[in-house]
Amino acid sequence: MDVQHNCSTIVPNQHVLIKLPSEGMKIAFLREEGTISLGKFGAFKVESILGHPLGTTFEIGENQDAVPVKSMIHNEDPVENEITEEELTKDQLTKYFEVSAESNQDIINIGLSIQKLDNKQIDDLKKSGASSEIGQKIIEQIIAGHAAFDKKTVFSQQKYLRRKQRKFLRRFQVEYLGLSQLLQYYIDKDIQRVLHMSEETLGMLLSYANIRPGGNYLVLDDTAGVVVYAMLERMQGKGSILLIHENEHANLAALRHSDYSEEYQKKMIKTLSWLQFAEPENEKIEWEDLPQEEIDEMRPTKQLQYSRRLKRAAEINDALDMVINGNFDALVAVSTLNISSLLPYVVPRVGGSRPVVFYSPYKEVLLETQHELMTDKRVLAPAMFETRARVYQTIQGRLHPLMTSRGYGGYILYGIRVFPAGGHIQAVGKGTRKKPKHDNVKSATMTPQPEAEAAKIEDLQEGK
Amino acid sequence: MSFYKYKDFIEEGDLVLAFISRGLIKPFTVKSGEFLNTRFGSFEHALMIGMKYGTQMGGVKDRGFIHLLHPSPELWTVSLPHRTQIVYTPDSSYIVQRLGITSGSRVIEAGTGSASFTHAFARTLSDDGKLFTYEFHEPRYIEARRELEEHGLLLNNCLITHRDVCNDGFNIENLPEKFAKNGGLCCDAVFLDLPSPWTAIPNLSSVVSSETRVGICCFSPCIEQVDKTIEALAEHGWTDIEMVEIAGRRWEARKEMVRDVLDVIERLKQIQGKKTQGIESKRQVKLEEESDKKRSADQLDADSALPEPSGKTTKFNPFGKGIRIKEGDEQFNWKQVTKVETEIKTHTSYLTFAYLVPTRS
């Protein structure tokens, strides 16, 4: 097994998430001797960030050396734009905010002409150096060139400054590539790839599916492995995932960003195609070991081939045995396949009282599934959930929800695998069908109830 | 029974959750000789032993049924005995996700409250992680302690302390070897569900990791609390402060009858038709009556009256008016629709997140 991920300190040969001042992000692999380019924000030497805790924010200084700073927008000099961080006193703000207005009464919108600096001048400034100091200088000049800066209120000046800092300060934050970070990266880069799943929905999915170390999970993942990665992070090397895929090979492209070795992945993730999964008995590989003498006589390349095939056959047969034994600790279905068509294959493989969880970007897809499960006796109390985080502008004295947010997130359908009573109930008393009175009592308290009642009646009928 | 691992068959002494109906899950411990009495019937514990978790069990004389479920933190959250307001799954799952808590994390929780989140933390932290949970209210502490012990959490990865963390801090004297790291708590995640988290924040510095980034979430219902919290966080060096609210919704799957306007028109025509027929027949009766007056009374006989308009119900009844129709009745057309749950949690609490990054010289 792999050494446990290092999630506390920045070390070489590790994938990390780099957050940029523009709120963009990139995943980088840290080569000890390497330099990492952040596009317009410059470049830095990897060795200058090593040894610092993951989560540290850096500023690019001279010679591409990164120096730790407090935060992305926090200013080291007396300029204090995060009002939350220290008391808003006049002397902290003197540098930029010595003249400000009480209100925005005198602001007149004259568009771009308010700024005396033109793009060319800013470009020239940018070219004059690569360190963060230049960024600071540009900001100062932009503010100096702003004809009505003094007409802004202090709050507005702060916001303006923060915007410019995001644009010109050469800062970046290095984070551990955790389960949320990988998802965030894809949300930023290619939201379709993660089926519009939000961080809060992923969290809910993992909780309802009761993901933990030692579990044995049945998984469908159309997010190229982002969901599998999240599960691996929660499992920390214990348990197993059986991943069912629709092509010849499973698509786990997102795992290329992870620090999990191929060996580790093989140990944790077994993969089977839908064909193999649907007909596990037929897909078993009949394997007969060749006599040792025969193997010894083979050419080395042939020997290698033989041992490889032997290994592959054993892997597939092991995975097929997992299917045949069933009793999975959860079904996690993040799939774009028609759910109704796959239910008959997956539901019986889930163990008793274990969760069955589906994700879809669309409520309508899950609605159909829920209706179907409500008439199916094997999944108890299916319900659809939605969870949305509403982010606030978090500044002391000025708390309010952000004015706009990206609209996405998806939905979850969660139920519990159960065993309908067929035999048991029949044994107790087939003839004693419920009196209508009893029926009414139950209907009144169980919402939406018909499936359970229908299930029971069907059970009794089946018992004949 | 365990919150860390599933098992398949029910045994004597297990904690089982009886799913009685949606919104009614009853936890109980299996003891031979006892009965679980619900308004849907009575269920004998002895019969449950050896049954598979997930079994639908019929009651005595087949009266009613329940499902016998294995405990999980998510099911426990909706079945536990309330001592305080509890943190529900939409909030707890997001907090765990956002703070990057996995197996092996070391977490502080204050206060324990009804120990709902405690179970969810313990599950995720697993054998390698540690949970330090604090409760200042003594009866609640005793109750929670007993519960955590019964559920095997104290044996595994939880340490519960009776403490007012705001006044007395988080340090634990005589910390058991098993729970110590570098001789202390050395936590990398903190969850504060306290009335005044800003008074506890200054006490954190000695119990959080000095090597790893530490995440915090303060859970407060009022915005004034958030305001004070962010001030305290900033003052003590926490950065990336962000407050969010989580809105969790459950959606119900329903069916809405497809009622076509052409059917309405046709039905109206029928009614109209009957009406005219009715008026016509009444007019006829009236005319006859008038003529009858002219005639002698003895000429009137029974067969001159027209028959009553046919049957009580109209012939064409496309929507089953007047009949009790079950949602989804196959004689009619239905459209699948969603409806948000009847009572939604519009506000649970504000979640204020921040991080403390140790500096390396």
Side-chain angles (χ1 to χ4, degrees):
Chain A
M1 207 196 97
D2 273 16
V3 232
Q4 288 269 304
H5 274 194
N6 178 352
C7 53
S8 61
T9 312
I10 303 173
V11 294
N13 302 318
Q14 173 190 32
H15 283 90
V16 291
L17 183 81
I18 298 181
K19 287 189 170 168
L20 304 171
S22 58
E23 288 181 335
M25 52 191 93
K26 71 181 277 176
I27 292 175
F29 183 74
L30 305 180
R31 265 177 251 289
E32 196 155 11
E33 307 287 308
T35 304
I36 289 171
S37 165
L38 304 177
K40 66 172 180 177
F41 300 107
F44 68 93
K45 285 183 194 151
V46 169
E47 56 177 12
S48 64
I49 65 165
L50 297 177
H52 291 281
L54 282 154
T56 303
T57 305
F58 299 91
E59 190 167 276
I60 299 175
E62 292 301 320
N63 304 321
Q64 302 187 329
D65 277 330
V67 192
V69 291
K70 197 155 189 328
S71 77
M72 214 71 127
I73 37 165
H74 189 98
N75 261 291
E76 302 305 301
D77 57 21
V79 188
E80 183 51 76
N81 80 312
E82 263 276 287
I83 191 163
T84 60
E85 309 213 326
E86 266 154 66
E87 276 289 298
L88 177 64
T89 56
K90 261 283 173 195
D91 44 303
Q92 282 172 323
L93 298 169
T94 40
K95 199 165 172 189
Y96 298 128
F97 308 140
E98 51 192 2
V99 191
S100 24
E102 289 295 318
S103 73
N104 59 9
Q105 192 181 8
D106 300 327
I107 298 274
I108 298 155
N109 189 357
I110 53 167
L112 287 174
S113 54
I114 197 98
Q115 180 57 257
K116 290 182 191 72
L117 239 58
D118 60 26
N119 281 339
K120 195 183 167 298
Q121 285 169 302
I122 294 174
D123 278 345
D124 288 346
L125 274 168
K126 276 190 199 167
K127 279 174 200 144
S128 66
S131 79
S132 209
E133 266 167 54
I134 298 296
Q136 198 67 35
K137 208 164 149 192
I138 296 173
I139 294 168
E140 277 168 31
Q141 299 220 9
I142 287 176
I143 288 174
H146 193 294
F149 193 72
D150 58 337
K151 304 276 192 310
K152 289 174 179 284
T153 63
V154 146
F155 294 155
S156 161
Q157 287 174 340
Q158 287 169 354
K159 275 193 173 171
Y160 184 85
L161 179 64
R162 189 191 291 212
R163 248 193 346 262
K164 295 302 158 197
Q165 282 176 328
R166 286 208 185 285
K167 205 165 169 189
F168 296 108
L169 286 189
R170 290 165 171 144
R171 289 185 182 177
F172 63 94
Q173 190 176 19
V174 180
E175 284 200 12
Y176 170 68
L177 187 66
L179 54 174
S180 281
Q181 284 81 357
L182 185 64
L183 178 68
Q184 278 164 9
Y185 171 79
Y186 277 103
I187 289 169
D188 188 51
K189 289 281 178 290
D190 185 4
I191 195 166
Q192 183 59 47
R193 172 61 64 90
V194 288
L195 306 175
H196 301 266
M197 188 189 286
S198 63
E199 185 183 6
E200 54 272 27
T201 307
L202 176 62
M204 187 184 249
L205 177 93
L206 297 170
S207 281
Y208 274 133
N210 205 359
I211 305 302
R212 57 191 166 190
N216 173 26
Y217 304 109
L218 178 59
V219 182
L220 315 175
D221 182 4
D222 281 353
T223 65
V226 175
V227 172
V228 166
Y229 181 70
M231 293 178 67
L232 289 176
E233 284 287 287
R234 290 277 176 102
M235 293 163 72
Q236 294 289 310
K238 294 174 188 157
S240 58
I241 287 173
L242 180 66
L243 178 69
I244 312 304
H245 53 88
E246 61 180 282
N247 295 313
E248 198 97 348
H249 299 284
N251 175 5
L252 291 170
L255 292 189
R256 71 169 185 269
H257 299 301
S258 80
D259 294 327
Y260 291 127
S261 68
E262 210 149 288
E263 210 183 354
Y264 180 89
Q265 290 182 29
K266 273 212 166 140
K267 178 195 154 266
M268 295 295 296
I269 315 163
K270 315 286 173 203
T271 62
L272 285 179
S273 73
W274 270 102
L275 173 61
Q276 291 165 320
F277 179 72
E279 299 170 8
E281 280 86 0
N282 299 340
E283 290 295 313
K284 277 247 176 165
I285 295 171
E286 302 285 342
W287 185 268
E288 268 179 56
D289 285 339
L290 291 173
Q292 191 58 44
E293 309 91 72
E294 207 167 313
I295 300 169
D296 290 340
E297 277 167 28
M298 285 179 185
R299 276 177 289 139
T301 46
K302 277 268 180 193
Q303 270 185 14
L304 199 69
Q305 209 176 38
Y306 174 81
S307 69
R308 245 191 236 138
R309 276 167 54 198
L310 180 73
K311 217 174 139 196
R312 181 80 192 121
E315 275 168 15
I316 291 174
N317 286 347
D318 282 353
L320 290 170
D321 282 337
M322 282 171 78
V323 179
I324 294 163
N325 295 335
N327 214 29
F328 285 97
D329 285 335
L331 166 69
V332 176
V334 181
S335 170
T336 48
L337 289 173
N338 174 11
I339 297 175
S340 156
S341 72
L342 59 87
L343 283 179
Y345 298 100
V346 291
V347 173
R349 304 292 182 195
V350 180
S353 200
R354 270 75 152 182
V356 174
V357 186
F358 298 89
Y359 169 84
S360 174
Y362 313 109
K363 205 164 52 184
E364 292 77 5
V365 168
L366 299 182
L367 168 65
E368 204 181 302
T369 310
Q370 180 168 346
H371 273 298
E372 196 162 341
L373 290 176
M374 275 158 66
T375 54
D376 189 311
K377 297 165 271 177
R378 298 168 301 174
V379 176
L380 180 68
M384 283 178 283
F385 294 95
E386 173 194 341
T387 176
R388 298 287 180 267
R390 188 184 206 198
V391 181
Y392 277 65
Q393 167 182 294
T394 313
I395 301 175
Q396 210 190 338
R398 281 176 289 151
L399 288 155
H400 66 70
L402 296 185
M403 301 300 180
T404 55
S405 295
R406 198 166 177 177
Y408 69 104
Y411 300 85
I412 279 172
L413 176 63
Y414 157 66
I416 300 159
R417 168 82 164 106
V418 290
F419 305 112
H424 294 285
I425 287 190
Q426 186 221 352
V428 183
K430 191 174 128 196
T432 56
R433 287 275 280 276
K434 297 159 307 306
K435 290 165 194 124
K437 194 183 160 199
H438 175 68
D439 208 23
N440 287 341
V441 173
K442 256 207 145 154
S443 310
T445 46
M446 284 179 101
T447 52
Q449 201 275 341
E451 83 278 19
E453 212 60 57
K456 190 171 172 192
I457 293 162
E458 276 179 55
D459 289 338
L460 290 166
Q461 286 166 348
E462 269 174 16
K464 280 178 204 165
Chain B
M1 176 283 303
S2 156
F3 281 86
Y4 303 98
K5 195 175 187 296
Y6 279 112
K7 69 180 203 179
D8 295 325
F9 295 97
I10 298 171
E11 291 173 279
E12 176 85 33
D14 276 4
L15 171 71
V16 174
L17 306 183
F19 184 99
I20 296 164
S21 66
R22 225 186 249 270
L24 182 57
I25 301 178
K26 203 177 155 150
F28 68 98
T29 306
V30 177
K31 285 183 197 131
S32 293
E34 290 193 2
F35 282 80
L36 173 73
N37 293 307
T38 76
R39 57 187 144 136
F40 304 129
S42 185
F43 303 88
E44 194 180 347
H45 286 201
L47 292 176
M48 297 172 189
I49 295 169
M51 276 186 179
K52 269 192 155 185
Y53 275 104
T55 298
Q56 183 185 29
M57 183 190 190
V60 173
K61 289 186 189 154
D62 189 29
R63 271 181 48 84
F65 60 84
I66 52 169
H67 283 91
L68 302 171
L69 301 184
H70 192 286
S72 73
E74 283 63 41
L75 288 173
W76 180 249
T77 295
V78 291
S79 58
L80 57 79
H82 276 224
R83 296 184 283 271
T84 54
Q85 282 279 345
I86 65 164
V87 184
Y88 286 100
T89 302
D91 282 316
S92 66
S93 62
Y94 179 68
I95 294 163
V96 167
Q97 178 74 20
R98 171 136 180 186
L99 294 179
I101 293 169
T102 60
S103 163
S105 299
R106 302 173 65 84
V107 181
I108 282 174
E109 180 196 35
T112 313
S114 301
S116 159
F117 204 170
T118 313
H119 285 74
F121 273 132
R123 174 265 320 271
T124 304
L125 296 173
S126 192
D127 302 346
D128 299 325
K130 296 287 171 273
L131 178 65
F132 302 92
T133 183
Y134 300 81
E135 176 59 50
F136 82 120
H137 185 265
E138 194 168 14
R140 274 209 298 268
Y141 159 76
I142 293 167
E143 190 67 6
R145 195 191 161 83
R146 186 189 54 75
E147 196 177 276
L148 299 183
E149 189 160 15
E150 279 175 15
H151 295 175
L153 270 62
L154 295 185
L155 264 178
N156 201 296
N157 57 3
C158 295
L159 193 68
I160 184 167
T161 307
H162 177 221
R163 175 81 60 85
D164 173 3
V165 293
C166 299
N167 288 317
D168 306 322
F170 296 87
N171 284 302
I172 299 170
E173 278 178 40
N174 306 318
L175 186 65
E177 186 82 21
K178 190 181 142 184
F179 284 88
K181 187 184 173 189
N182 303 333
L185 268 62
C186 210
C187 288
D188 43 41
V190 180
F191 174 67
L192 298 183
D193 181 3
L194 303 166
S196 53
W198 56 93
T199 57
I201 288 165
N203 301 335
L204 284 168
S205 53
S206 61
V207 288
V208 295
S209 169
S210 55
E211 293 166 351
T212 306
R213 176 163 87 156
V214 183
I216 191 171
C217 173
C218 301
F219 192 76
S220 309
C222 304
I223 205 131
E224 290 78 7
Q225 292 170 301
V226 175
D227 206 56
K228 287 183 181 164
T229 301
I230 57 182
E231 183 179 14
L233 287 170
E235 199 179 312
H236 291 88
W238 297 77
T239 55
D240 289 334
I241 304 170
E242 187 178 82
M243 187 265 270
V244 307
E245 252 188 308
I246 294 290
R249 302 267 184 277
R250 185 170 63 79
W251 290 90
E252 291 171 4
R254 305 291 286 270
K255 285 179 178 172
E256 169 84 346
M257 191 188 279
V258 179
R259 294 164 8 95
D260 209 319
V261 73
L262 291 176
D263 287 332
V264 173
I265 293 169
E266 189 170 333
R267 184 165 160 272
L268 284 171
K269 274 185 184 162
Q270 290 230 350
I271 296 169
Q272 192 86 64
K274 291 241 165 71
K275 233 185 196 166
T276 14
Q277 207 184 359
I279 292 166
E280 190 58 36
S281 63
K282 267 187 192 152
R283 200 172 60 87
Q284 203 76 45
V285 172
K286 213 176 175 187
L287 280 176
E288 278 166 20
E289 274 173 1
E290 274 165 15
S291 60
D292 281 351
K293 277 176 194 165
K294 286 172 192 165
R295 285 179 217 161
S296 59
D298 58 282
Q299 270 181 306
L300 187 79
D301 67 301
D303 37 20
S304 67
L306 278 170
E308 281 281 313
S310 63
K312 266 202 168 176
T313 48
T314 47
K315 230 193 228 159
F316 185 68
N317 184 3
F319 315 129
K321 271 229 156 77
I323 313 166
R324 254 192 94 181
I325 306 291
K326 213 174 143 193
E327 195 173 302
D329 188 324
E330 280 174 13
Q331 289 178 54
F332 304 94
N333 288 324
W334 301 87
K335 191 176 173 67
Q336 297 186 346
V337 290
T338 53
K339 183 185 164 295
V340 79
E341 58 192 314
T342 321
E343 192 178 297
I344 49 174
K345 292 187 181 72
T346 14
H347 180 59
T348 53
S349 269
Y350 295 114
L351 279 57
T352 310
F353 291 93
Y355 298 91
L356 190 65
V357 185
T359 42
R360 278 272 167 86
S361 49

